[in-house]
Amino acid sequence: MDLIIILHAGVASGTVLLFATLGELFAERSGVINLGVEGMMLIGAMSAYSVALYTGNPWLGVVIAMLAAGLISQIHAFIAITLQADQVVSGLAITFLATGISLVLGEGLSKAGAVSLLPNLSIPLLSQIPLLGAIFFTKQSVLVYIGFLLIPLAWYYIYYTRPGMHLRAVGEYPAAADALGINVFRLRYFYVFLGGILAGLSGATISLAISPGWFSELTTSGQGWIAIGLVIFAQWDPLRAAFGAYAFGALRRLIFDIQGPTTLLGLANPFYYNPYWGFILQMMPYAFTIIVLVIGSREALRKRLGAPAAIGVPYIRGERGL
Amino acid sequence: MSEMDTPNNSTSSEEIPPSEPIIRSFPYRLRIEPRMEEPARWYPFLLFLGALVLALVIGGFLLVLAGGDPLRSYAHIARASFGNIGVISDTIVKATPIIFTGLACSIAFRMHLWNIGAEGQFIMGAFGAGAVVLIPLLPEGTPVWIFIPVMAVAGIVAGAFWGFIPGFLKARLKVNEIITTLMMNYIAIAWINFFIFAVWSEGGFQMTTKFPDNAWLPRLLDYANRIPVFRGLTTHLGFLIGVLAAFVLWYIIFRSRWGYEIRLIGDNPRAAQYAGINIQRNTILVMMVSGALAGLGGMSEVAGVVHRLQTSPIAAGYGFTGIIVAWLAKLNPFGVVLVSILFGALILAGREIQPSGLPKMIQGIILVCLIASDFFIRYRIRFVRLGEEI
């Protein structure tokens, strides 16, 4: 069991969480919780895989996946923003709906055979850096590098650009933003759409790059929900979100790989000789999510940090809001 | 969905409350205005039916896209679930676990506690009940009337414990209960798998041994030699327990002081706090009651239907269906029983339907349509002649 191999694979599987987490982060920053991430990821994974299968072009698959998930997210946007319904229930409904749709349309896809996947590449100079080069820049999927680029972009956008400031204003104090001439409704629709697009990208990352294929609901196996947990842990900060995503990716790989070798640190590997301990290992990512949430919540309580003030609250013009 | 989409979405959404002409070049225009008076009693019911019909139409449309025949599928669902007394009994068997998870969700949602973990609590209830038989906690010849209550208590305790953890984290540390309850679902599945595969596996198979007869809930067919009509009917006592639980829950929510507190916290937490209601304590309690109901459902399912521990029939998504059912029933316990029977039919008939994800998709569409239709309880749409002002 080589640590570098695990971290290398961890960065790859962390990319899945990264896209979904950043997408949800944008939506929540604008004041809309979208609990449909898991469903949108499934839609993304399913449509990416089937488009790549039928056209032979994985890139087209990625684009369609993003659009399909973005489309689904707009149902949530319509219900939550225009119809002002409860966002929690609406998000859950989106998960059911999207899961159902992807199961229906993905019927038979799991036996469909191999598709052309997205290419893996090494970055010429950066891959020469000792240790880091081997983990981050050698033979990773293109999408992993897109993920690397997205982190600083999201961070800079949210904190240092004008639209980013509008985004935060809409999530913190929509009435004031409205008074300043910012179109609260349009921005919220847009960021829910962005969240959907990124969730679709995250799904495509699974089915076309990280663990290729369509395994119905097991394709995502709850990663959409972990992403929502990570947003809370990250306290709506993209850098912390990225850290959380990669840490969880590495953890997933560790759990997966630890059962392989016969010896562990020179001792007999208990996980190899007791394969049923695998079930205990399977609990780990989910247990860690809860632990991470507890840590995040304690910290938020202590520092009086918190969610965007208007999160989950529909904005109704002319009504005294927050 | 699509019909509502067009009018107010096209002229971007910011102009809802003030009147705004939407369909031009047409002598009438559409006005959306807040509803001032309470709508008539029949109105929400009609809206519910409308949303249901719309959902079936959209579902049928998607089915056509996927290459199916919606009319045949729907007719098949109706026949296969209500066609004769045998399948009606099967429908009730399928509805029973959903009644429990639906009730579990409805009491938690009533307080705006988003317990998405009925699935895990259900599984842990099944585990608790199974543990009584498999450890074994009771000697072999224990009579049914001792065995069943002990299993029920074990299921309730296990489910309540699974609800307590997120409840405690929510009350004390303000940890988001949606995520924790959901994560607890995955942990519960791994937990019960560990016992089914490793500890109590029957000869390496992915199931435990069959429970002895005295750990079975009585079924209608047990009385077939006295009442011949019951021959072959597998409806079990769990259904009756579920209906009873609905009565008790209705009484608690609408007739007891505690229920009043729960409803007040749900509607207006600040007012509840000023009224001196202990929100933290109620959060933990309601999560435990919610978990207990789901856990009892898990017990009813293993003792009434599965008769052993086995992953796929236990972790079959009843907890998630319970969420939809609770919402469709507007969190009313009796509504939960009725809607559960409808969903039991959908699940029963859906097993033979291709593609297999269809019931899930229709459930999702129904829920989406229903949530969207709530808009028409708060607002109404009127056609106003152009030039005419009110």
Side-chain angles (χ1 to χ4, degrees):
Chain A
M1 192 174 68
D2 193 345
L3 198 62
I4 291 185
I5 295 175
I6 289 179
L7 289 177
H8 178 267
V11 167
S13 77
T15 304
V16 174
L17 283 170
L18 177 76
F19 289 138
T21 308
L22 284 182
E24 180 65 11
L25 193 147
F26 274 110
E28 291 193 12
R29 275 276 184 180
S30 81
V32 183
I33 306 174
N34 186 354
L35 295 183
V37 181
E38 176 87 359
M40 297 189 298
M41 282 171 70
L42 276 173
I43 286 275
M46 181 274 298
S47 37
Y49 191 74
S50 56
V51 169
L53 190 70
Y54 289 115
T55 64
N57 184 346
W59 287 109
L60 191 65
V62 172
V63 172
I64 299 290
M66 292 165 78
L67 287 180
L71 201 68
I72 293 282
S73 79
Q74 289 308 283
I75 301 176
H76 176 68
F78 178 67
I79 295 175
I81 302 168
T82 303
L83 300 187
Q84 303 149 12
D86 192 298
Q87 298 180 2
V88 172
V89 188
S90 170
L92 288 174
I94 295 299
T95 295
F96 286 119
L97 178 68
T99 308
I101 292 179
S102 46
L103 290 186
V104 168
L105 298 180
E107 180 91 357
L109 265 190
S110 46
K111 299 185 234 33
V115 300
S116 47
L117 303 174
L118 292 169
N120 288 351
L121 10 129
S122 303
I123 304 286
L125 277 171
L126 292 173
S127 59
Q128 303 304 315
I129 306 173
L131 218 61
L132 293 183
I135 295 171
F136 289 100
F137 301 110
T138 309
K139 286 190 181 153
Q140 291 283 21
S141 168
V142 200
L143 291 174
V144 172
Y145 300 116
I146 293 177
F148 291 161
L149 294 178
L150 202 61
I151 302 162
L153 276 181
W155 172 76
Y156 184 78
Y157 179 86
I158 289 175
Y159 292 112
Y160 295 100
T161 68
R162 211 176 162 75
M165 206 177 73
H166 290 176
L167 162 64
R168 283 182 290 145
V170 162
E172 293 289 350
Y173 200 167
D178 193 20
L180 288 173
I182 299 170
N183 191 330
V184 176
F185 300 97
R186 191 179 298 164
L187 278 190
R188 285 189 169 175
Y189 264 95
F190 173 75
Y191 286 109
V192 171
F193 186 61
L194 185 63
I197 282 186
L198 285 172
L201 178 60
S202 160
T205 310
I206 300 176
S207 65
L208 290 182
I210 308 303
S211 42
W214 172 249
F215 313 98
S216 52
E217 282 156 304
L218 292 177
T219 315
T220 50
S221 59
Q223 292 192 73
W225 297 104
I226 293 182
I228 296 171
L230 281 177
V231 175
I232 299 170
F233 161 75
Q235 286 158 9
W236 296 268
D237 177 78
L239 298 184
R240 282 186 64 139
F243 169 75
Y246 289 128
F248 262 83
L251 181 72
R252 278 178 72 88
R253 283 311 301 201
L254 183 69
I255 287 164
F256 189 75
D257 290 336
I258 204 168
Q259 300 176 65
T262 48
T263 58
L264 205 62
L265 307 170
L267 301 167
N269 181 357
F271 298 109
Y272 179 79
Y273 292 104
N274 303 292
Y276 295 120
W277 287 20
F279 290 115
I280 308 294
L281 287 175
Q282 272 175 23
M283 298 178 191
M284 290 303 148
Y286 309 111
F288 266 97
T289 308
I290 295 178
I291 293 168
V292 151
L293 272 179
V294 171
I295 295 170
S297 304
R298 286 193 69 118
E299 201 176 0
L301 279 180
R302 202 179 59 238
K303 293 191 195 159
R304 299 186 172 279
L305 286 172
I311 199 164
V313 185
Y315 177 58
I316 306 170
R317 212 178 211 179
E319 229 174 58
R320 239 187 94 215
L322 320 129
Chain B
M1 207 52 244
S2 54
E3 285 153 42
M4 296 181 308
D5 227 308
T6 28
N8 42 25
N9 213 13
S10 50
T11 51
S12 89
S13 43
E14 76 266 37
E15 291 134 340
I16 292 169
S19 60
E20 182 64 23
I22 283 163
I23 306 167
R24 290 162 221 279
S25 74
F26 187 69
Y28 292 91
R29 68 183 188 188
L30 218 65
R31 276 176 56 98
I32 298 172
E33 51 190 29
R35 203 177 268 286
M36 293 303 174
E37 77 288 5
E38 269 302 282
R41 281 187 75 93
W42 51 264
Y43 181 74
F45 187 69
L46 201 72
L47 209 56
F48 174 85
L49 283 184
L52 206 63
V53 170
L54 183 66
L56 292 181
V57 170
I58 296 173
F61 183 70
L62 285 172
L63 203 56
V64 171
L65 281 185
D69 180 349
L71 284 183
R72 273 232 326 255
S73 300
Y74 288 151
H76 178 83
I77 290 178
R79 233 189 351 264
S81 49
F82 295 111
N84 59 55
I85 185 161
V87 289
I88 290 178
S89 164
D90 290 349
T91 298
I92 288 178
V93 170
K94 280 286 168 203
T96 304
I98 308 173
I99 292 176
F100 285 103
T101 54
L103 291 176
C105 293
S106 72
I107 184 172
F109 292 0
R110 180 71 69 177
M111 216 180 107
H112 283 228
L113 268 178
W114 302 112
N115 178 15
I116 315 300
E119 179 81 3
Q121 292 143 13
F122 184 88
I123 293 170
M124 291 312 282
F127 167 80
V132 172
V133 184
L134 296 163
I135 287 179
L137 278 184
L138 294 173
E140 210 165 296
T142 314
V144 183
W145 57 270
I146 296 183
F147 225 120
I148 294 295
V150 171
M151 285 171 79
V153 169
I156 287 174
V157 169
F161 173 69
W162 223 238
F164 167 79
I165 298 172
F168 178 82
L169 293 177
K170 163 85 174 178
R172 290 292 149 83
L173 298 167
K174 290 196 166 42
V175 178
N176 185 313
E177 78 279 16
I178 301 173
I179 312 291
T180 46
T181 48
L182 220 121
M183 296 295 121
M184 301 284 286
N185 289 344
Y186 291 102
I187 296 174
I189 291 179
W191 173 267
I192 201 171
N193 269 340
F194 176 72
F195 282 90
I196 290 173
F197 282 70
V199 183
W200 295 326
S201 163
E202 185 184 29
F205 285 106
Q206 300 171 6
M207 53 175 82
T208 66
T209 46
K210 217 170 180 79
F211 295 170
D213 287 353
N214 44 359
W216 288 29
L217 279 173
R219 296 180 293 181
L220 285 184
L221 58 85
D222 299 340
Y223 304 96
N225 47 6
R226 257 174 288 163
I227 311 168
V229 192
F230 286 172
R231 185 167 300 130
L233 301 187
T234 51
T235 302
H236 56 88
L237 190 64
F239 177 68
L240 216 59
I241 301 175
V243 174
L244 208 68
F247 269 99
V248 173
L249 203 61
W250 176 84
Y251 186 83
I252 290 177
I253 290 177
F254 294 106
R255 290 287 179 273
S256 80
R257 186 198 156 89
W258 187 41
Y260 175 74
E261 289 187 9
I262 293 172
R263 282 183 291 146
L264 185 59
I265 296 172
D267 291 341
N268 193 339
R270 195 169 287 178
Q273 200 162 22
Y274 290 146
I277 295 171
N278 188 337
I279 295 183
Q280 287 198 358
R281 193 169 140 260
N282 274 315
T283 300
I284 297 176
L285 271 179
V286 166
M287 280 302 294
M288 286 177 72
V289 170
S290 182
L293 280 166
L296 186 58
M299 175 269 168
S300 136
E301 192 66 3
V302 286
V305 180
V306 188
H307 301 134
R308 54 158 52 109
L309 292 186
Q310 190 184 357
T311 313
S312 56
I314 294 174
Y318 296 123
F320 297 111
T321 308
I323 299 169
I324 307 181
V325 165
W327 206 256
L328 283 173
K330 307 257 175 206
L331 311 185
N332 181 309
F334 299 128
V336 166
V337 174
L338 286 180
V339 178
S340 295
I341 292 173
L342 280 181
F343 272 64
L346 197 60
I347 292 174
L348 178 74
R351 285 182 311 184
E352 308 141 31
I353 278 186
Q354 292 300 321
S356 56
L358 184 69
K360 201 163 217 163
M361 187 181 81
I362 292 179
Q363 288 177 22
I365 298 171
I366 291 176
L367 188 58
V368 168
C369 288
L370 196 89
I371 297 165
S373 78
D374 274 351
F375 179 76
F376 295 102
I377 291 185
R378 285 175 294 125
Y379 292 93
R380 63 169 165 208
I381 292 182
R382 283 177 48 184
F383 288 97
V384 185
R385 197 175 246 290
L386 274 188
E388 171 197 329
E389 286 305 323
I390 348 157

